[in-house]
Amino acid sequence: MLILNCGGTFNKRYNSLNGELEVPFDNYAIDSILKSTNNLYTIAGAVYKDSLDMTIDDRSLLADIIRESTENIFVLIHGTDTISLSAEFFAEIFEDKIIILTAAMVPYEIDKVEASLNLGIALGFSKAVSKNGIYICMNGLVEKYDLIEKNRALGRFELVK
């Protein structure tokens, strides 16, 4: 399994110099969460951006990394705002991989629980799933990407009705 860090709110940290939340160019949040496991995971920092700033070139770069990897299972740490767009993009390219996208509505630095829970569920699911596909893991749900969506009014992910 390969964990790809794409940035997003999950990774954001407060910059006291400018008073803004920024996506740093490191894997601190993921590394901190994974310290509590007894497993070794391969982590690659791929795109360190807010998902609203992700472009087709960023998604193509991620697809290239996935395509060139010897792994079959990928967990992508993403931003919530465009997680569905990336999932749909990957679904058009990959039929032979398991790709699980997860994120957080609140930065790990502010609330360690949500990010940790989402990543933990994604990792557990990656060990149990046997069917190739593109999945989104958020708010205790893991479903095929087209069966889950962000409810912006309620600030959570839900099953598509």
Side-chain angles (χ1 to χ4, degrees), residues 1-152:
M1 173 190 353
L2 176 61
I3 299 172
L4 293 173
N5 188 3
C6 306
T9 297
F10 189 108
N11 290 284
K12 285 185 177 179
R13 290 200 302 263
Y14 180 72
N15 180 332
S16 61
L17 298 177
N18 64 17
E20 295 180 7
L21 285 172
E22 298 174 340
V23 178
F25 288 84
D26 63 34
N27 300 320
Y28 171 78
I30 300 165
D31 288 337
S32 296
I33 294 166
L34 295 179
K35 272 190 217 177
S36 67
T37 72
N38 291 325
N39 298 310
L40 295 176
Y41 294 97
T42 303
I43 305 167
V47 178
Y48 294 101
K49 290 185 173 181
D50 185 293
S51 71
L52 290 172
D53 297 327
M54 285 188 82
T55 65
I56 190 73
D57 290 337
D58 298 323
R59 289 181 180 92
S60 295
L61 171 67
L62 292 167
D64 289 344
I65 293 168
I66 292 167
R67 189 179 297 111
E68 294 172 13
S69 176
T70 58
E71 299 290 342
N72 185 53
I73 300 173
F74 301 85
V75 173
L76 276 67
I77 310 300
H78 202 283
T80 63
D81 288 313
T82 64
I83 197 169
S84 296
L85 292 175
S86 292
E88 186 175 344
F89 178 85
F90 298 134
E92 293 176 11
I93 299 171
F94 299 107
E95 295 179 1
D96 61 337
K97 305 283 185 194
I98 295 168
I99 301 172
I100 306 158
L101 294 95
T102 192
M105 303 286 279
V106 178
Y108 173 79
E109 180 179 89
I110 294 172
D111 178 5
K112 293 178 176 25
V113 175
E114 182 203 6
S116 299
L117 180 67
N118 288 340
L119 179 55
I121 291 172
L123 293 174
F125 181 75
S126 76
K127 294 174 183 351
V129 67
S130 59
K131 187 172 181 184
N132 291 337
I134 314 302
Y135 301 89
I136 292 178
C137 172
M138 286 295 299
N139 302 123
L141 302 170
V142 185
E143 291 292 340
K144 290 277 191 154
Y145 78 97
D146 55 350
L147 298 177
I148 189 169
E149 64 185 22
K150 184 176 181 178
N151 181 327
R152 295 181 191 286

